[in-house]
Amino acid sequence: MSQPDFAKLQSIIDGALLLPGSAAYESARSLWNALIDRRPTAILQAAHKHDVVAGVRFARSAEMKVSVRGGGHNIAGTASGDGMLMIDLSGMNGVSTDPDNRMVIVEGGATLHDLDGATTRHGLATPGGVVSSTGVAGLTLGGGFGWLSRLHGLAADNVLSVELVTVQGELIVADLAQNTELFWGLRGGSGNFGVATAITFQLHDVPNDVLFGPTFFALDDASQVLRQYRDFAVNAPRQCCVWADLMTAPPAPFLPECYHGEKVLGLMQCFIGEAEEGEAVLSPLREFAKPLGHAVTARPYIEAQQFLDETYAKGLRNYWKSGNFTTLPNGAIDDLVELARSMPTPQSDILFSQLGGKIGDVASHDTAFPHRDVGFVVTPGARWESAGDDEICMRWIEEADTVLSRHEDGGQYVNFVAERDGGEDRAYGSNLERLRRLKALYDPDNIFASNQNIRPAA
Ligand code: FAD
């Protein structure tokens, strides 16, 4: 096949078209996960939605597959594909808040940092994730949960409408009144159906300050602390969200120096509400065992949203496995604590994300996100700096996978699937067949192929 006419594409867009060989191309193809090293044929850096339309139409006529880059965070590196046209939306990061109607319109390449920065000025927010450099669209299309989700649901549950460029290169809107089946699929079916150029979300009041921060415990106490954490989670109020992390202690001033660099258990706590009420809810956690250090305090909500940014900064090599748990059986807890003893690098961890609350108010078939009864998503993650550590880190993740598969419930959060192919059965669960029919309608030739891919129904 002859080389597509990229000069022609450049002539009709306002953004940049980057081809291999330039420093700008190299920078644009680099993703959060440094393990990913794919080479798109070209990268279209869209300046606005009409560039996206032009890019999709061009790709179709050139018979190219399209990958979409938002925040570039996906662990499987789905934003990039060898031989594909990458449509990079990172320049389309505008956020327009309408405080009177408690709504916000977010462009397709905005990050949580952009979103929270715009809405919290009005005392408003919508659920997102816990690291602010994550792309809003990528997170939302797969579901999206964070500190607000037990109170206000998934990011996807707060979507009012999606503006989408279809595979035909047409701009359409999907919401509860038009393109309703597509709207269903966009809330959990990830980037399979087109390019979201803008998403409108419902906003909620957030107090300026929330009670937020970690309490650390010794690894030797982790098994019994995690048992109590599991039991605490059952009756925890929805304003409260606690994630546990088996990790290496940071050199934090509130931790005695002798624990810096030791393996520990952290309970990262968030309470959205009155500080006094939050203190009453969260203080029992400090009684689970003798804490090594404690830094739960009233902080601006936006600070809580950025608290973990440095820990999960771009540029390390990353590989992880993830499994859904309705609850945490004692055997799983003991095996995971044992696994933590052999974490291969100080940046590696085993993260327990607490779900439940409002997320579970929605039925599994009401949106494409099926995992409504999940209590915890458990994610052992290896993070490392140099290729020399690839083998030891991969081996640890293989062990982690064995542990998870012994205990997990079978499903997996689509945004945490670390391989680009093969995870769709577990990710989409009982919604997969309906999603396949939708894919056949909206992308029958599977042009949008770089994602947790849904094969079009025959
Ligand atoms: P990208 O890699 O840019 O995109 C990923 C995929 O999303 C693309 O391949 C495409 O299919 C799709 N996509 C992105 N933008 C668009 C668009 N505008 N239109 C159509 N498709 C699009 N998830 C949570 O739910 N909660 C968390 O707290 C959380 N924390 C995370 C922390 C870190 C450090 C990391 C690495 C990930 C985290 N995630 C979390 C997972 C995150 O939701 C996924 O990685 C998600 O894919 C990121 O979206 P992105 O736009 O940044 O990624």
Side-chain angles (χ1 to χ4, degrees), residues 75 219 244-248 263-264 312 317-322 332-352 378-384 388-406 419:
I75 176 77
L219 192 64
D245 201 11
L246 291 158
M247 59 184 285
T248 298
K263 293 190 172 89
V264 293
Y312 294 100
R317 299 165 84 77
N318 280 269
Y319 194 54
W320 67 41
K321 291 286 175 184
S322 182
I333 289 174
D334 293 342
D335 286 356
L336 288 161
V337 171
E338 196 49 39
L339 179 72
R341 295 186 190 282
S342 60
M343 284 188 295
T345 61
Q347 298 95 338
S348 301
D349 67 348
I350 303 174
L351 186 64
F352 300 68
V378 179
T379 311
R383 265 180 281 287
W384 66 104
D389 287 334
D390 283 3
E391 201 184 319
I392 182 176
C393 288
M394 292 296 194
R395 208 176 319 124
W396 184 72
I397 286 295
E398 271 170 37
E399 270 175 52
D401 197 27
T402 310
V403 171
L404 283 181
S405 46
R406 211 180 292 147
E419 293 83 18

Side-chain angles (χ1 to χ4, degrees), residues 32 68 70-74 78 89 108 129-130 135 137-138 141 144-145 194 196 413 415 450:
W32 176 83
V68 182
H73 254 225
N74 188 270
T78 53
L89 300 178
V130 304
L141 295 169
F145 49 77
Y413 176 38
N415 280 344
S450 190

Side-chain angles (χ1 to χ4, degrees), residues 123-138:
L124 297 166
T126 199
V130 304
V131 175
S132 80
S133 47
T134 309
V136 175

Side-chain angles (χ1 to χ4, degrees), residues 206-230:
V206 276
N208 187 53
D209 283 352
V210 297
L211 215 50
F212 186 90
T215 303
F216 287 106
F217 299 93
L219 192 64
D220 284 343
D221 291 330
S223 283
Q224 56 128 334
V225 172
L226 282 170
R227 283 167 166 72
Q228 294 174 83
Y229 162 67
R230 169 199 62 204

